[in-house]
Amino acid sequence: MKKIKKIFIATVITSSLIVVPALASPNVNQIEQNKEETEKKLEDANSKLVTLLTDFEVLKGDIRNQEAKITLADKDLQEAKKKEEEQYKQMLIRIKYMYENGDGNEISALLGAESFGEVINQVEYMKNVHSYDRKMLNEYKKSKEKVATLKQDLESGKADMEFMATTYEQQEKELKTTIETMKTQVADFDVQLANAQRQAEEEARRLEQQTQQMEAELSDTKPSKPQTNRPSSNNDNNDKDEEDKPSTPKPDKPSKPSKPDKPSKPTEPEAEDKPSNASKGQQIANEGLKYVGNPYVWGGNDLYNGIDCSGFTSKIHAICGISGVPRNSKEQRYGGKAVNGLANALPGDIICYDGHVAIYIGGGRIVHASNPKPYPQGGIKTGTATYRTILAIRRYW
């Protein structure tokens, strides 16, 4: 009866050796897998943050340059206004002298002329004075208007960049929060893993003790084998039980082969300097100008009630029969054909900035859906192509 009891105990212990490791092992493996996945996401988030901060620094540099241009333009505008006012005052003085003296000096000068030639000279002189005044005043007015337009463009461009900066700040804040959360998760996984490993070690020691107890119990149930004085020989090893033979070690699981390097990106197609269908590009530019003054809406697709920058460029191309222009500004930057520099750009090309796109209309200017501010600061408007750092120029027509 005692022998049967010991065999039963040994059987129960042996069963526990099979079941417990199967339950404990996946717990540790799952924690390690979760940690590895979170660390990968953390690495990706850090990479995105670095890219975002780099783009943000470029944008800040563009804003500083724009502010310097605005300051210079404002100085030029004040100078143009001053010249216009001075010219206007001088003109008034001459008019007052010739026409508002009250004693008919102008007529007297004509009547008092000694010859017809002198009369002609007097008339010619007064005509020249009037022509000069009108010419100079018109020139100063044009100069003032030109500088005022430039300043408006610069301020409008700055508004675009400030809007983009606000977006970047929000993205930076969200990324940093995500990274901190992931760091906490990784640290928590480390604690969980340490606890699981400690429990696994304790369980292993318990199982080892059970194994030793089982072996002791089993040895008590075996009848003692009589000793013999048989001489030893080289064949003694063949008399051992099959259980005593060392088990053949399993080969280690082969590591996953490293991923081959990605093939280098093929040289992208370049646009012809003077394409035969340049009229199509001009059609795109003209179509874009039809909607100047309409509102900007992020994610919008309506040219009249609200559209964003990439929606605008994509929609205008589609109206002109050009399909395949991506909806996303980043994808537009890598599609179509590359144009080598603004000097080779033609109306209808897409000018790509960081996080923004516009349609080139020629003469160094663009039409684009810029930001939510009311027109002319925001909405669909025209502006200078170089108001920000140009990253690429693409041609889809």
Side-chain angles (χ1 to χ4, degrees):
M1 185 67 182
K2 183 177 180 181
K3 181 178 178 180
I4 294 173
K5 181 179 180 182
K6 289 181 178 180
I7 292 173
F8 175 75
I9 292 172
T11 303
V12 172
I13 295 173
T14 303
S15 301
S16 68
L17 287 174
I18 297 171
V19 174
V20 174
L23 293 175
S25 180
N27 187 31
V28 176
N29 293 338
Q30 185 62 47
I31 294 172
E32 289 178 338
Q33 182 180 350
N34 291 342
K35 180 185 175 184
E36 184 178 346
E37 291 174 354
T38 304
E39 286 177 336
K40 180 63 172 63
K41 291 178 181 178
L42 178 60
E43 183 181 346
D44 292 342
N46 274 317
S47 177
K48 289 179 181 178
L49 180 60
V50 170
T51 301
L52 176 66
L53 292 176
T54 301
D55 294 343
F56 202 0
E57 286 303 314
V58 172
L59 181 63
K60 288 177 181 176
D62 287 343
I63 291 175
R64 288 192 295 269
N65 292 337
Q66 198 79 346
E67 288 173 344
K69 291 178 182 177
I70 290 173
T71 301
L72 182 61
D74 186 63
K75 182 179 178 181
D76 292 342
L77 179 60
Q78 297 306 319
E79 186 67 23
K81 287 181 177 179
K82 184 178 178 182
K83 287 183 179 180
E84 182 194 21
E85 290 172 358
E86 289 176 353
Q87 178 63 27
Y88 183 70
K89 288 178 181 178
Q90 291 175 8
M91 185 181 69
L92 287 180
I93 291 172
R94 281 189 284 269
I95 290 174
K96 183 177 181 181
Y97 177 77
M98 290 187 294
Y99 297 107
E100 297 180 1
N101 202 25
D103 55 1
N105 283 344
E106 182 182 9
I107 297 175
S108 298
L110 292 174
L111 295 176
E114 296 180 356
S115 65
F116 182 73
E118 188 175 346
V119 170
I120 296 299
N121 290 336
Q122 290 286 349
V123 172
E124 189 68 24
Y125 168 75
M126 288 182 286
K127 180 181 178 182
N128 289 340
V129 169
H130 286 300
S131 297
Y132 172 79
D133 283 334
R134 284 196 300 270
K135 178 182 176 183
M136 294 303 296
L137 189 60
N138 287 336
E139 286 182 359
Y140 287 136
K141 282 183 177 180
K142 288 179 180 178
S143 176
K144 184 189 71 173
E145 291 170 358
K146 183 178 180 180
V147 177
T149 300
L150 173 62
K151 183 183 177 185
Q152 185 183 62
D153 282 351
L154 291 171
E155 289 176 341
S156 178
K158 183 184 175 185
D160 292 348
M161 289 184 277
E162 287 174 341
F163 172 69
M164 185 65 66
T166 302
T167 303
Y168 279 173
E169 286 175 352
Q170 182 62 30
Q171 291 177 0
E172 179 184 354
K173 182 180 178 181
E174 292 173 355
L175 270 175
K176 286 182 176 179
T177 300
T178 300
I179 288 171
E180 290 303 316
T181 302
M182 288 181 178
K183 285 181 178 178
T184 303
Q185 290 175 348
V186 170
D188 186 51
F189 285 137
D190 286 335
V191 173
Q192 293 180 34
L193 189 58
N195 290 336
Q197 288 174 339
R198 185 175 64 254
Q199 292 174 7
E201 290 171 0
E202 292 174 353
E203 186 65 21
R205 284 194 295 269
R206 185 181 70 80
L207 294 175
E208 185 180 358
Q209 292 172 358
Q210 287 184 349
T211 302
Q212 292 173 355
Q213 182 181 357
M214 180 193 70
E215 290 176 346
E217 294 286 348
L218 290 175
S219 63
D220 289 343
T221 62
K222 289 181 180 179
S224 58
K225 199 171 184 180
Q227 298 279 338
T228 61
N229 292 326
R230 201 178 78 175
S232 62
S233 69
N234 292 333
N235 295 327
D236 284 348
N237 290 336
N238 295 330
D239 296 331
K240 292 184 178 180
D241 293 336
E242 190 68 19
E243 291 84 349
D244 294 332
K245 290 183 180 180
S247 59
T248 304
K250 295 181 179 179
D252 294 336
K253 187 177 181 181
S255 60
K256 293 182 179 178
S258 59
K259 293 182 179 179
D261 295 335
K262 292 183 179 179
S264 58
K265 188 177 181 181
T267 304
E268 58 182 354
E270 291 190 0
E272 301 174 21
D273 291 342
K274 294 182 179 180
S276 58
N277 62 337
S279 60
K280 176 61 71 174
Q282 188 62 57
Q283 180 189 354
I284 294 170
N286 293 342
E287 184 67 26
L289 289 170
K290 292 180 181 179
Y291 306 95
V292 170
N294 291 346
Y296 170 100
V297 173
W298 187 84
N301 287 293
D302 192 323
L303 287 165
Y304 294 95
N305 299 313
I307 197 167
D308 61 14
C309 65
S310 58
F312 177 72
T313 52
S314 177
K315 198 92 169 180
I316 294 299
H317 276 73
I319 291 174
C320 296
I322 307 298
S323 60
V325 179
R327 179 61 178 79
N328 180 277
S329 61
K330 189 172 184 179
E331 293 176 359
Q332 289 184 15
R333 177 177 163 186
Y334 297 102
K337 297 179 181 178
V339 176
N340 186 19
L342 192 60
N344 295 314
L346 294 174
D349 290 342
I350 294 181
I351 309 294
C352 304
Y353 309 92
D354 179 47
H356 187 63
V357 285
I359 294 176
Y360 189 61
I361 58 176
R365 295 185 67 77
I366 54 174
V367 60
H368 59 145
S370 61
N371 64 65
K373 290 187 178 182
Y375 180 81
Q377 293 297 316
I380 299 175
K381 63 181 183 182
T382 60
T384 305
T386 55
Y387 84 104
R388 287 180 57 190
T389 302
I390 297 175
L391 300 182
I393 303 175
R394 313 300 295 188
R395 184 172 297 164
Y396 285 87
W397 43 275

